[in-house]
Amino acid sequence: MSHDHTSPTEDNYDYTQQVGHLLRKVYQRHVAIFQQHVGDSQITAVQFITLCALRDHGPSAQNDLVRYTAVDQATIRGVVERLKARDLVSLGPDPTDKRKVIVMLTEPGQALIQHTTDNAVRITEMTYGQLNPAERVALVYLLRKMLDDTSQS
């Protein structure tokens, strides 16, 4: 009987084959594709989706942006600061609650979204890579299904 310190499950555990690792690698690949092809070297994927969320939802509080973008509070704060520094968003008081600050898209922010949307579509294409149309639909379906699985919470 061998007394090495690994159990049979440990022997069979290859982290490179785990879903979390593969998702992280795919996401890193997507971010690299985004940076290369977005057409504005200063805009990040997270900044772009924040602008898109403002376009879709209108002026929003930062905690709403956290919900819309799935980006954490600390990160969204930095994102908003950088977008404001580039005049892509502006900040103002919430008309319903003066203690709250709302983030609004500026005209340059709107223009950036318009200029970037074609590139964003191409970036999505490139992220899918060699997946055929059926595989693309299946992938999105499966990712959504994983997100909706509330039984694990």
Side-chain angles (χ1 to χ4, degrees):
M1 181 125 183
S2 85
H3 287 304
D4 63 353
H5 298 296
T6 58
S7 65
T9 26
E10 282 178 70
D11 284 343
N12 302 333
Y13 185 86
D14 177 356
Y15 78 93
T16 66
Q17 297 309 306
Q18 304 308 310
V19 68
H21 179 76
L22 293 170
L23 286 169
R24 191 166 35 258
K25 300 264 301 188
V26 168
Y27 181 67
Q28 287 168 347
R29 181 174 161 272
H30 166 72
V31 167
I33 290 169
F34 184 94
Q35 281 319 134
Q36 253 178 315
H37 299 278
V38 68
D40 176 336
S41 60
Q42 290 180 42
I43 197 98
T44 65
V46 171
Q47 290 173 359
F48 182 67
I49 64 166
T50 302
L51 292 173
C52 290
L54 289 168
R55 177 201 60 196
D56 297 347
H57 297 278
S60 305
Q62 283 192 12
N63 47 356
D64 293 325
L65 289 175
V66 167
R67 264 205 340 276
Y68 303 148
T69 61
V71 173
D72 63 276
Q73 189 80 49
T75 305
I76 213 77
R77 203 170 297 128
V79 165
V80 167
E81 276 170 28
R82 284 186 290 282
L83 292 173
K84 184 180 181 295
R86 287 189 63 192
D87 191 35
L88 299 172
V89 302
S90 63
L91 304 181
D94 186 328
T96 55
D97 181 351
K98 295 288 181 245
R99 294 163 306 180
K100 265 194 190 161
V101 171
I102 53 167
V103 184
M104 295 158 284
L105 208 49
T106 60
E107 276 187 34
Q110 202 102 41
L112 187 136
I113 292 173
Q114 284 168 343
H115 298 312
T116 309
T117 306
D118 286 346
N119 292 347
V121 170
R122 207 162 45 251
I123 289 163
T124 297
E125 265 310 293
M126 294 170 82
T127 300
Y128 277 131
Q130 297 172 34
L131 297 184
N132 68 39
E135 290 168 331
R136 292 171 186 211
V137 170
L139 176 65
V140 171
Y141 171 80
L142 293 170
L143 291 170
R144 287 183 189 281
K145 191 171 181 179
M146 286 171 77
L147 284 173
D148 291 343
D149 184 12
T150 49
S151 64
Q152 298 301 310
S153 50

